[in-house]
């Protein structure tokens, strides 16, 4: 009996422990990971991280890594309600881009940036080399660098259309960097399911030939607005939901004249809500007022029939909120399918 | 044939000559406005444009969809009219400054007024001065006035006659321009957002895309008032061309006229730049081109400059909308890109004629 335990159970236990150690070593340290043309090198899971951009911040919160975040910056909206408690404990280095020294002052092991131009070749905060020289690893969101040339066009130009796979990739890779793969898988699965539901909802509404346009903001109220290009994140959301974006530019956020938008007369207008106040049009209420009072836009079908969807600006970036935005738009399409007011 | 009969004949023909020239200019202006309305991002047929105008101006009842009607009546027509007013205003401001300062290089853009306006606009938009109560337009207006005051003070402090010394004020203007451009860059760099920098750049280089009817009324009133005031002072402007001492000798109340005309130039520029952004080159090129066409007497030069400035800026706006498909260029880029070679051509041709 004893012998059989030794002969069969022990090797079994050994094998199991070997297996667990193997799966844990799926993220072996030192770890190297390719990211936006750079190599992310880590000797151990990062003990602290500074984020530039709300998207990365909330992604880390969603992965349960809130206690590792020692500084945040570049916010478009208020933090998602479930993360408010953890976010309140994290210092906000800047509402927009932080200075290089304020970032390194937090002594982070890793810097996660939402936009490449913050840490890229002409990094506004600093170049990735500058961080690497100080032994700080950097990670830029694939959403903003893969299939995108950030040296061309004002906000970069997509060389190929955005795909939500880039978002999943950033979640998976961040989970890998912090060695929390199961959380990453769970988050991706959840987002996938919710997106599929939103798409199915629009399909079920059976509205043929729906068109849309998405207004982010404008340098001045009546001036040519910043609209979502066809290949950006917002363009992806519209297209995946089966809506045709009336803007045909490959730029991320091209300026398009109101004349062109009004003439294309999209079925649905999506407008961004944000907390920053750089331009008057950052206030979504001012956008609504403009649309309803401008002598031309007030005649657009979407304005007349109140088919205006208000979406958080952060949902239009490569963030986990992309799905929130798609859900909001799909709800609006569903409402459109129902006879109005009856 | 002796010279006398020829001179007599040309003197007889002169009033007719000028009347024809005026009529031609008026027709050219009308044609430019028509082109400004007809050409845009979206294609609208000429007949539709005519129908809209008939509906709005003569109460005709053509059935037109409200969006097309709005594009013609609320977007494009005000845009063409504002372009005309700004072009005229900036050109007349150029005429005033060139005559008063006796400097061929004097123009609002070079004297730092436009740079000041940009700084004012950026201060409101980026730093948030005025906390939403004042618009970029108001900020630009005060920025322009501040810049002009500063440049005038600097030139005055530099001594040897201050405003009367054209060279001094142009140098002061260059210093002022540099200062205000640096301030603008500082503010933009500090804000550090690509989107914002782009919004401001568009503003700095001029744009007519946000222009509506209220802007039309304002700019037209300012341009017409400025033009009339300038026309009232054409004799003085002629006199100033020979210096303020000569003007005083000719009985011109130098101080008063200087104050009125410089204020007119500063106000016109401030208002125009605050509505459409910093458009350079108009105030420099147009007066020179007009001088080549109608001579140096301000009785003709002032209206000719106004007319040519108006046509030039409408044309520049049309070009800005059509040069690159699907993209609107800042109008300041066009005024410089088109204006500079055209100016060079005029310059070379006049040189050749003189030879």
């Amino acid at each position: 009996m004893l012998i059989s335990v030794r002969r069969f159970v022990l090797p079994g236990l050994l094998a199991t422990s070997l297996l667990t150690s193997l799966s844990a070593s799926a993220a072996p340290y030192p770890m190297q990971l390719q990211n936006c043309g750079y190599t992310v090198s880590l000797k151990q899971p990062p003990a602290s991280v500074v984020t530039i951009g709300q998207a990365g911040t909330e992604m880390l919160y969603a992965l349960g890594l809130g206690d590792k975040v020692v500084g945040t910056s570049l916010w478009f909206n208020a933090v998602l309600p479930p993360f408010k408690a953890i976010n309140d404990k994290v210092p906000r280095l800047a509402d927009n881009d932080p200075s290089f020294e304020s970032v390194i002052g937090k002594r982070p092991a890793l810097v996660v940036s939402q936009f490449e131009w913050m840490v890229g070749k002409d990094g506004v905060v600093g170049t990735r080399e500058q961080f690497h020289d100080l032994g700080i690893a950097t990670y830029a969101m694939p959403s903003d660098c893969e299939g995108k040339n950030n040296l061309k066009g004002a906000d970069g130009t997509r060389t190929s259309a955005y795909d939500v796979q880039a978002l999943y990739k950033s979640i998976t890779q961040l989970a890998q960097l912090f060695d929390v793969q199961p959380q990453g898988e769970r988050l991706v699965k959840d987002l996938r399911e919710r997106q599929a539901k939103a798409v199915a909802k629009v399909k079920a509404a059976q509205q043929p030939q729906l068109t849309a346009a998405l207004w982010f903001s404008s340098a001045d109220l009546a001036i040519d607005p910043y609209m979502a290009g066809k290949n950006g994140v917002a363009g992806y959301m519209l297209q995946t939901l089966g809506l045709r974006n009336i803007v045909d530019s490959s730029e991320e956020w091209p300026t398009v004249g109101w004349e062109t938008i009004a003439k294309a007369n999209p079925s649905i207008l999506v407008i961004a809500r944000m907390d920053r106040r750089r331009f008057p049009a950052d206030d979504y209420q001012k956008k609504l007022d403009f649309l309803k009072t401008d002598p031309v836009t007030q005649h657009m079908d979407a304005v007349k029939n109140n088919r205006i969807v208000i979406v958080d600006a952060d949902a239009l970036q490569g963030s986990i909120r992309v799905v929130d935005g798609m859900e909001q738009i799909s709800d609006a399409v569903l409402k459109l399918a129902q006879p109005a007011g009856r | 044939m002796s010279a006398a009969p020829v001179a007599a004949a040309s003197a007889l023909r002169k009033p007719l000559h000028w009347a024809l020239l005026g009529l031609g200019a008026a027709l050219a202006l009308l044609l430019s406005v028509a082109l400004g309305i007809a050409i845009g991002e979206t294609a609208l047929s000429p007949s539709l444009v005519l129908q809209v105008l008939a509906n709005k101006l003569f109460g005709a009842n053509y059935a037109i969809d409200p969006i097309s009607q709005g594009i013609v009546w609320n977007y494009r027509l005000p845009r063409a009219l504002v372009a005309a007013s700004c072009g005229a205003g900036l050109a007349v401001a150029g005429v005033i400054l060139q005559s008063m300062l006796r400097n061929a290089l004097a123009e609002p853009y070079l004297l730092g007024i436009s740079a000041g306006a940009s700084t004012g606009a950026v201060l409101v938009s980026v730093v948030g001065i005025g906390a939403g109560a004042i618009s970029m337009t108001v900020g630009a207006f005060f920025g322009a006035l501040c810049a002009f005051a500063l440049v005038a003070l600097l030139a005055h402090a530099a001594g040897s006659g201050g405003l009367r010394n054209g060279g001094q004020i142009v140098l002061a203007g260059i210093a002022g321009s540099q200062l205000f451009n640096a301030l603008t860059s500082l503010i933009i760099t500090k804000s550090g957002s690509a989107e914002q920098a782009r919004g401001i750049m568009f503003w700095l280089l001029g744009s007519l895309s946000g222009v509506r009817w209220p802007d039309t009324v304002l700019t037209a009133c300012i341009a017409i008032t400025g033009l009339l005031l300038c026309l009232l002072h054409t004799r003085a402007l002629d006199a100033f061309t020979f210096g303020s001492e000569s003007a005083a000798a000719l009985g011109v109340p130098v101080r008063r006229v200087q104050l009125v005309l410089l204020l007119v130039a500063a106000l016109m520029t401030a208002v125009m730049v605050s509505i459409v952004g910093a458009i350079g080159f108009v105030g420099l090129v147009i007066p020179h081109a007009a001088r080549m066409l109608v001579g140096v007497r301000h009785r003709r030069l002032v209206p000719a400059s106004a007319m040519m400035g108006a046509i030039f800026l409408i044309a520049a706006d049309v070009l800005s909308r059509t040069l690159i498909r699907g993209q609107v260029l800042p109008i300041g880029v066009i005024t410089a890109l088109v204006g500079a070679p055209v100016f060079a051509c005029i310059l070379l041709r006049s040189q050749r004629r003189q030879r």
Side-chain angles (χ1 to χ4, degrees), chain B residues 172-259:
Chain B
I174 291 171
S177 291
Q178 292 299 322
L179 173 70
F180 284 102
N181 286 336
L183 282 176
T184 306
S185 304
L186 173 75
I187 298 162
I188 293 176
T189 314
K190 248 189 113 229
S191 89
S193 138
E195 185 199 349
Q196 185 145 31
R198 182 162 57 132
I200 301 298
M201 283 325 280
F202 210 74
W203 174 268
L204 293 182
L205 293 169
S207 163
L208 284 153
S209 74
V211 159
R212 301 291 188 269
W213 275 112
D215 305 311
T216 312
V217 177
L218 175 66
T219 48
C221 285
I222 292 289
I224 291 169
T225 312
L227 180 64
L228 287 178
L229 277 171
C230 206
L231 282 173
L232 284 177
H233 289 94
T234 48
R235 247 176 47 85
L237 281 167
D238 283 340
F240 272 113
T241 316
F242 304 103
S244 45
E245 285 85 2
S246 322
L250 286 169
V252 174
V254 173
R255 290 256 153 195
R256 191 180 63 81
V257 172
Q258 263 181 346
L259 188 74

Side-chain angles (χ1 to χ4, degrees), chain A residues 52-68:
Chain A
I52 304 169
Q54 185 171 4
T57 316
E58 290 183 346
M59 203 177 283
L60 290 173
Y61 292 163
L63 288 170
L65 297 165
D67 56 335
K68 301 271 195 291

Side-chain angles (χ1 to χ4, degrees), chain B residues 36-48:
Chain B
I37 301 171
I39 300 171
E41 295 168 47
T42 52
L44 298 178
S45 69
S47 64
L48 185 130

